[in-house]
Amino acid sequence: EITPDRCTVLADEAIPVAEVSRAQAETRLQAALVEQTAAGTDTVAYDAAAGRVQAARAMLAAAGAA
């Protein structure tokens, strides 16, 4: 939600960019990709893993920018 006075963001976790390491992001990405593959036809598990893949890729991007 964005208003003239504030911005509200819903997140599962918040990590300061300075604390994001490439190794940690790569580990998270690999784990999420394994979960996504293991989900098979379970769309709920697949979608949850896909969200973790997306978050890990964002962490990798942040780690590259830091």
Side-chain angles (χ1 to χ4, degrees):
E1 172 185 6
I2 299 174
T3 68
D5 299 326
R6 66 181 170 163
C7 174
T8 302
V9 178
L10 300 178
D12 293 326
E13 142 182 62
I15 303 171
V17 173
E19 294 178 16
V20 174
S21 75
R22 183 162 188 81
Q24 178 188 32
E26 288 173 349
T27 299
R28 285 184 178 212
L29 177 58
Q30 289 308 313
L33 289 170
V34 167
E35 290 175 20
Q36 194 174 37
T37 300
T41 59
D42 181 343
T43 57
V44 172
Y46 184 91
D47 289 347
R52 288 188 286 279
V53 167
Q54 184 178 10
R57 287 185 173 146
M59 285 180 70
L60 275 172

